[in-house]
Amino acid sequence: MRGWSSKLKKLALVVLAVVFPAGVGTDAAAQTRFDGWASVVVAGDWRDGSGKPIEAFDNARRDLSRSILNAGLPQSLHASVTLNPAKPDKLSPTDAVKTIEATLTQGARGCLFYFTSHGSPGNLTFGDTRGLSPTDMAVFLRRWCEGKPTVLVLSACYSGSFVDALRAPNRMILTAARRDRSSFGCGEGETYPWFDACFLESLPDATDFLDAANRTRRCVATRESAAEITLPSEPQMFIGAEMQIRLPTLRFASRQ
């Protein structure tokens, strides 16, 4: 019996060595689910509908960046981008694209791209440029993220108009509104756009991106109902076949 006991102990040690290599315990292993994932949060505008400066988009950019890093994405592969000319870290649209590309292309294992701004059907406000079309975004994502697992969040009015052009098996897409609806909370006096506020509220308790998306959608519906919005934004979600399998494995650090 002693011989068998000794053999079993040796076998257990071999299994543990394979699953948890030297220097990596169970806690450390749990923290590696987003290793190699790059993330970018972009505030594409700094004005309300009448052109007056507001802080909502930059507030969201700042706090979303913090929350995303707290969820377990690596800080070394993260960029927080603003086009607001009043901010000390402002970038021109050209430099913003370069920064986004330089960051996301470093993510060997995955991409998270969160964009908050104003929008119109088929267009996202990107500083003082003509804006970004679904075709622009499709080209950028192919260049920045290639075939890697990608989570794309578009927080803007009419952002659902981008979904059809961006569908892919390796992508999860979450938009703040359907293709023909506005989103809300982008005016003077708002701390965040309502969708961004709900995403921020959802992240600390969410287990993964899918859970965060579902919580965000419920939160938006509740907020809009309380405000008696007659045409609710109806945030949209698409999950490609590959991401349906992968998402449950990408648990946030706080929920591992």
Side-chain angles (χ1 to χ4, degrees):
M1 294 295 293
R2 287 183 181 179
W4 277 107
S5 176
S6 177
K7 290 179 180 178
L8 287 172
K9 287 180 180 179
K10 289 180 179 178
L11 178 60
L13 289 173
V14 170
V15 171
L16 286 172
V18 170
V19 177
F20 304 114
V24 180
T26 56
D27 290 342
Q31 298 300 315
T32 64
R33 287 170 180 159
F34 289 102
D35 280 1
W37 271 69
S39 58
V40 174
V41 180
V42 177
D45 206 354
W46 60 92
R47 299 156 292 197
D48 65 11
S50 63
K52 295 180 180 178
I54 58 172
E55 292 295 322
F57 297 119
D58 274 295
N59 288 342
R61 170 185 71 102
R62 177 197 64 214
D63 294 341
L64 283 163
S65 288
R66 183 181 300 120
S67 294
I68 285 167
L69 297 179
N70 287 341
L73 281 89
Q75 186 169 6
S76 61
L77 294 175
H78 178 78
S80 177
V81 175
T82 181
L83 282 74
N84 186 343
K87 298 298 179 183
D89 56 344
K90 65 182 180 298
L91 294 175
S92 69
T94 299
D95 287 339
V97 169
K98 290 179 180 178
T99 297
I100 297 167
E101 181 167 10
T103 303
L104 292 182
T105 53
Q106 291 184 69
R109 293 183 58 198
C111 288
L112 168 62
F113 184 41
Y114 194 113
F115 188 95
T116 179
S117 187
H118 287 297
S120 57
N123 188 275
L124 295 173
T125 302
F126 191 59
D128 289 322
T129 68
R130 64 175 175 81
L132 299 175
S133 70
T135 300
D136 295 328
M137 190 66 74
V139 171
F140 281 145
L141 284 178
R142 282 197 298 270
R143 195 166 81 204
W144 296 339
C145 299
E146 300 175 341
K148 294 174 287 191
T150 300
V151 176
L152 174 66
V153 185
L154 300 178
S155 175
C157 295
Y158 307 100
S159 46
S161 61
F162 279 67
V163 174
D164 286 346
L166 303 178
R167 292 171 181 262
N170 61 306
R171 290 179 188 158
M172 171 184 176
I173 304 169
L174 179 64
T175 71
R178 71 186 216 187
R179 64 185 307 115
D180 58 346
R181 294 286 174 88
S182 297
S183 56
F184 301 94
C186 303
E188 186 178 1
E190 298 282 359
T191 303
Y192 312 109
W194 290 3
F195 177 88
D196 296 338
C198 284
F199 197 90
L200 280 164
E201 180 182 316
S202 300
L203 273 176
D205 295 322
T207 55
D208 52 39
F209 283 118
L210 179 58
D211 188 24
N214 287 328
R215 289 171 182 264
T216 298
R217 297 169 81 190
R218 291 194 296 268
C219 171
V220 168
T222 299
R223 181 176 286 218
E224 291 178 352
S225 177
E228 299 182 347
I229 301 294
T230 56
L231 291 174
S233 57
E234 297 186 13
Q236 301 293 295
M237 181 166 61
F238 165 82
I239 304 175
E242 293 175 15
M243 287 299 280
Q244 291 177 26
I245 298 171
R246 189 179 298 272
L247 281 172
T249 71
L250 296 171
R251 294 175 65 85
F252 295 149
S254 59
R255 310 301 294 172
Q256 291 174 359

XYZ file of all heavy atoms in Angstrom, residues 82-135:
397
model
N -8.502 60.998 -25.960
C -9.477 62.071 -26.085
C -9.086 63.010 -27.217
O -7.899 63.244 -27.457
C -9.621 62.875 -24.781
O -10.617 63.895 -24.967
C -8.309 63.547 -24.378
N -10.096 63.539 -27.879
C -9.875 64.546 -28.918
C -10.271 65.938 -28.413
O -10.292 66.894 -29.181
C -10.667 64.194 -30.184
C -10.053 63.101 -31.067
C -10.219 61.720 -30.460
C -10.672 63.108 -32.453
N -10.582 66.039 -27.141
C -11.008 67.296 -26.517
C -9.848 68.281 -26.477
O -8.865 68.050 -25.766
C -11.521 67.017 -25.106
C -12.126 68.234 -24.443
O -11.921 69.372 -24.868
N -12.880 68.001 -23.385
N -9.919 69.406 -27.195
C -8.793 70.341 -27.236
C -8.490 71.001 -25.903
O -7.414 71.577 -25.732
C -9.236 71.379 -28.281
C -10.718 71.278 -28.328
C -11.046 69.843 -28.041
N -9.411 70.888 -24.939
C -9.189 71.493 -23.627
C -8.437 70.567 -22.672
O -8.051 71.004 -21.585
C -10.530 71.892 -23.003
N -8.210 69.332 -23.074
C -7.553 68.378 -22.189
C -6.043 68.346 -22.440
O -5.599 68.411 -23.586
C -8.143 66.975 -22.386
C -9.622 66.877 -22.062
C -9.896 67.211 -20.613
C -11.369 67.134 -20.305
N -11.674 67.517 -18.909
N -5.246 68.207 -21.376
C -3.788 68.206 -21.565
C -3.282 67.025 -22.379
O -2.215 67.115 -22.997
C -3.250 68.163 -20.120
C -4.379 67.649 -19.292
C -5.633 68.129 -19.951
N -4.030 65.924 -22.395
C -3.595 64.753 -23.152
C -4.321 64.634 -24.492
O -4.381 63.549 -25.077
C -3.793 63.475 -22.337
C -5.239 63.289 -21.861
O -6.012 64.268 -21.896
O -5.591 62.161 -21.440
N -4.859 65.735 -24.988
C -5.620 65.720 -26.247
C -4.753 65.222 -27.392
O -3.535 65.399 -27.418
C -6.105 67.132 -26.569
C -4.969 68.115 -26.864
C -5.488 69.501 -27.123
C -4.359 70.495 -27.414
N -3.436 70.658 -26.307
N -5.405 64.609 -28.369
C -4.741 64.166 -29.588
C -5.532 64.669 -30.793
O -6.756 64.811 -30.736
C -4.671 62.641 -29.651
C -3.795 61.938 -28.607
C -3.950 60.428 -28.738
C -2.344 62.335 -28.751
N -4.844 64.915 -31.868
C -5.524 65.206 -33.126
C -6.142 63.915 -33.626
O -5.734 62.814 -33.218
C -4.526 65.733 -34.155
O -3.634 64.695 -34.545
N -7.143 63.987 -34.508
C -7.702 62.742 -35.051
C -6.648 61.828 -35.667
O -6.689 60.604 -35.468
C -8.697 63.245 -36.097
C -9.133 64.578 -35.573
C -7.901 65.169 -34.949
N -5.684 62.409 -36.378
C -4.628 61.596 -36.998
C -3.794 60.878 -35.944
O -3.519 59.676 -36.052
C -3.713 62.468 -37.872
O -4.485 63.062 -38.911
C -2.588 61.641 -38.477
N -3.394 61.620 -34.900
C -2.596 61.005 -33.847
C -3.417 60.026 -33.016
O -2.879 59.037 -32.498
C -1.994 62.088 -32.947
C -0.860 62.838 -33.618
O -0.275 62.295 -34.571
O -0.566 63.980 -33.204
N -4.700 60.306 -32.893
C -5.569 59.378 -32.163
C -5.609 58.021 -32.869
O -5.494 56.970 -32.232
C -6.970 59.955 -32.040
N -5.764 58.028 -34.184
C -5.782 56.785 -34.944
C -4.450 56.053 -34.791
O -4.418 54.825 -34.604
C -6.080 57.056 -36.433
C -5.836 55.803 -37.269
C -7.517 57.532 -36.608
N -3.356 56.786 -34.827
C -2.039 56.166 -34.662
C -1.898 55.532 -33.282
O -1.345 54.425 -33.143
C -0.935 57.203 -34.869
C -0.784 57.687 -36.302
C 0.313 58.738 -36.408
C 0.479 59.242 -37.837
N 1.514 60.311 -37.930
N -2.386 56.221 -32.258
C -2.300 55.692 -30.895
C -3.163 54.451 -30.730
O -2.743 53.453 -30.119
C -2.731 56.763 -29.879
O -1.828 57.870 -29.957
C -2.736 56.217 -28.463
N -4.378 54.502 -31.268
C -5.265 53.338 -31.193
C -4.618 52.138 -31.880
O -4.578 51.026 -31.345
C -6.628 53.659 -31.830
C -7.333 54.773 -31.059
C -7.505 52.403 -31.857
C -8.524 55.363 -31.791
N -4.097 52.373 -33.076
C -3.474 51.280 -33.823
C -2.245 50.733 -33.103
O -2.071 49.510 -32.993
C -3.084 51.764 -35.218
C -2.443 50.681 -36.065
C -2.345 51.054 -37.531
O -2.598 52.223 -37.875
O -2.014 50.169 -38.338
N -1.406 51.635 -32.593
C -0.193 51.194 -31.903
C -0.520 50.353 -30.670
O 0.221 49.421 -30.330
C 0.647 52.404 -31.503
N -1.624 50.669 -30.013
C -2.014 49.923 -28.812
C -2.668 48.596 -29.163
O -2.251 47.534 -28.697
C -2.978 50.762 -27.957
O -2.370 52.006 -27.622
C -3.335 50.025 -26.667
N -3.697 48.632 -30.005
C -4.460 47.412 -30.281
C -3.657 46.360 -31.035
O -3.856 45.163 -30.829
C -5.734 47.749 -31.047
C -6.799 48.534 -30.271
C -8.034 48.772 -31.128
C -7.182 47.817 -28.971
N -2.746 46.790 -31.889
C -1.956 45.800 -32.632
C -0.959 45.062 -31.733
O -0.443 44.016 -32.120
C -1.187 46.460 -33.794
O -0.423 47.572 -33.304
C -2.145 46.947 -34.865
N -0.713 45.594 -30.544
C 0.156 44.896 -29.595
C -0.564 43.751 -28.880
O 0.080 42.907 -28.266
C 0.688 45.875 -28.544
C 1.673 46.886 -29.072
C 2.222 47.742 -27.940
O 2.964 47.278 -27.079
N 1.831 49.011 -27.924
N -1.878 43.762 -28.949
C -2.641 42.731 -28.261
C -2.626 41.430 -29.044
O -3.430 41.226 -29.959
N -1.744 40.548 -28.676
C -1.585 39.300 -29.429
C -2.765 38.357 -29.234
O -3.032 37.503 -30.077
C -0.296 38.600 -29.000
N -3.499 38.526 -28.124
C -4.553 37.553 -27.808
C -5.958 38.120 -27.901
O -6.929 37.355 -27.899
C -4.319 36.987 -26.408
C -3.073 36.128 -26.299
C -2.930 35.548 -24.913
N -4.093 34.752 -24.531
C -4.375 34.421 -23.280
N -3.594 34.819 -22.290
N -5.442 33.695 -23.001
N -6.115 39.450 -27.948
C -7.465 39.990 -28.029
C -7.490 41.495 -28.027
O -6.495 42.157 -27.704
N -8.661 42.055 -28.405
C -8.859 43.507 -28.497
C -10.148 43.909 -27.793
O -11.182 43.260 -27.983
C -8.999 43.944 -29.949
S -7.500 43.899 -30.919
N -10.078 44.991 -27.045
C -11.269 45.657 -26.535
C -11.221 47.108 -27.001
O -10.259 47.819 -26.713
C -11.326 45.607 -25.005
C -12.379 46.520 -24.345
C -13.789 46.132 -24.786
C -12.255 46.477 -22.833
N -12.251 47.530 -27.730
C -12.310 48.895 -28.239
C -13.641 49.505 -27.812
O -14.706 49.041 -28.220
C -12.174 48.899 -29.760
C -12.132 50.273 -30.382
C -11.416 51.303 -29.793
C -12.807 50.535 -31.561
C -11.363 52.560 -30.370
C -12.767 51.787 -32.153
C -12.043 52.810 -31.554
N -13.576 50.544 -26.967
C -14.769 51.223 -26.453
C -14.740 52.654 -26.971
O -13.807 53.399 -26.723
C -14.768 51.206 -24.922
C -16.088 51.563 -24.277
C -16.807 50.606 -23.572
C -16.623 52.840 -24.361
C -18.026 50.913 -22.971
C -17.828 53.159 -23.770
C -18.531 52.177 -23.070
O -19.737 52.491 -22.483
N -15.804 53.044 -27.669
C -15.879 54.359 -28.310
C -17.133 55.069 -27.829
O -18.244 54.565 -28.000
C -15.916 54.180 -29.829
C -15.803 55.460 -30.613
C -14.562 55.886 -31.084
C -16.922 56.232 -30.885
C -14.455 57.063 -31.825
C -16.827 57.406 -31.623
C -15.586 57.826 -32.088
N -16.978 56.265 -27.217
C -18.119 57.030 -26.750
C -18.112 58.411 -27.394
O -17.082 59.105 -27.398
C -18.142 57.134 -25.207
O -19.274 57.907 -24.792
C -16.868 57.767 -24.644
N -19.262 58.790 -27.970
C -19.319 60.037 -28.731
C -20.768 60.299 -29.152
O -21.687 59.580 -28.753
C -18.425 59.934 -29.966
O -18.328 61.176 -30.638
N -20.960 61.323 -29.955
C -22.233 61.529 -30.638
C -22.276 60.655 -31.886
O -21.233 60.208 -32.393
C -22.389 62.994 -31.052
C -22.675 63.916 -29.918
N -23.812 63.823 -29.144
C -21.974 64.980 -29.420
C -23.801 64.780 -28.227
N -22.691 65.490 -28.367
N -23.486 60.436 -32.386
C -23.620 59.673 -33.607
C -24.858 60.071 -34.386
O -25.793 60.674 -33.855
N -24.849 59.733 -35.651
C -26.005 59.870 -36.526
C -26.041 58.597 -37.363
O -25.085 57.803 -37.326
C -25.871 61.117 -37.409
O -24.677 61.074 -38.176
N -27.117 58.334 -38.108
C -27.153 57.080 -38.867
C -25.934 56.913 -39.774
O -25.660 57.734 -40.644
C -28.448 57.233 -39.690
C -29.322 58.093 -38.839
C -28.384 59.092 -38.222
N -25.158 55.847 -39.521
C -23.983 55.563 -40.336
C -22.799 56.454 -40.080
O -21.864 56.495 -40.899
N -22.763 57.138 -38.933
C -21.642 58.049 -38.667
C -21.420 58.206 -37.169
O -22.377 58.362 -36.402
C -21.907 59.414 -39.292
C -20.690 60.341 -39.216
O -20.473 61.020 -38.228
N -19.910 60.343 -40.285
N -20.137 58.154 -36.755
C -19.747 58.425 -35.368
C -18.870 59.674 -35.350
O -17.909 59.769 -36.128
C -18.962 57.251 -34.787
C -19.708 55.930 -34.632
C -18.744 54.825 -34.214
C -20.845 56.059 -33.624
N -19.194 60.625 -34.492
C -18.406 61.854 -34.411
C -17.005 61.542 -33.914
O -16.825 60.889 -32.885
C -19.075 62.871 -33.480
O -20.398 63.136 -33.966
C -18.291 64.172 -33.421
N -16.018 62.021 -34.653
C -14.607 61.783 -34.328
C -13.878 63.113 -34.443
O -13.257 63.424 -35.461
C -14.029 60.741 -35.278
C -12.671 60.227 -34.892
C -12.464 59.609 -33.674
C -11.598 60.340 -35.765
C -11.208 59.128 -33.323
C -10.342 59.860 -35.421
C -10.154 59.247 -34.196
N -13.993 63.932 -33.400
C -13.404 65.265 -33.425
C -14.063 66.112 -34.499
O -15.273 66.069 -34.706
N -13.250 66.889 -35.198
C -13.756 67.781 -36.243
C -13.626 67.182 -37.639
O -13.674 67.895 -38.636
C -13.018 69.128 -36.178
C -13.426 69.931 -34.956
O -14.622 69.893 -34.604
O -12.562 70.588 -34.345
N -13.462 65.874 -37.728
C -13.377 65.215 -39.032
C -14.786 64.976 -39.573
O -15.786 65.317 -38.939
C -12.658 63.867 -38.918
O -13.491 62.957 -38.174
C -11.324 64.020 -38.189
N -14.851 64.346 -40.707
C -16.158 63.977 -41.272
C -16.813 62.873 -40.453
O -17.984 62.530 -40.659
C -15.990 63.508 -42.710
C -15.158 62.236 -42.851
C -15.113 61.752 -44.291
N -14.241 60.608 -44.458
C -14.577 59.356 -44.192
N -15.764 59.089 -43.695
N -13.709 58.368 -44.396
N -16.097 62.322 -39.517
C -16.614 61.236 -38.695
C -16.198 59.884 -39.216
O -15.471 59.758 -40.211
N -16.638 58.844 -38.529
C -16.303 57.469 -38.885
C -17.551 56.765 -39.392
O -18.590 56.753 -38.725
C -15.739 56.721 -37.681
C -14.452 57.283 -37.065
C -14.090 56.502 -35.805
C -13.310 57.242 -38.072
N -17.462 56.151 -40.549
C -18.563 55.391 -41.126
C -18.398 53.914 -40.769
O -17.328 53.480 -40.313
C -18.556 55.557 -42.642
O -17.441 54.874 -43.201
N -19.430 53.100 -40.988
C -19.261 51.654 -40.788
C -18.123 51.075 -41.616
O -17.400 50.190 -41.147
C -20.622 51.097 -41.211
C -21.586 52.195 -40.931
C -20.840 53.457 -41.260
N -17.943 51.575 -42.828
C -16.834 51.095 -43.665
C -15.492 51.461 -43.050
O -14.559 50.639 -43.010
C -16.934 51.671 -45.084
O -18.172 51.260 -45.672
C -15.776 51.200 -45.954
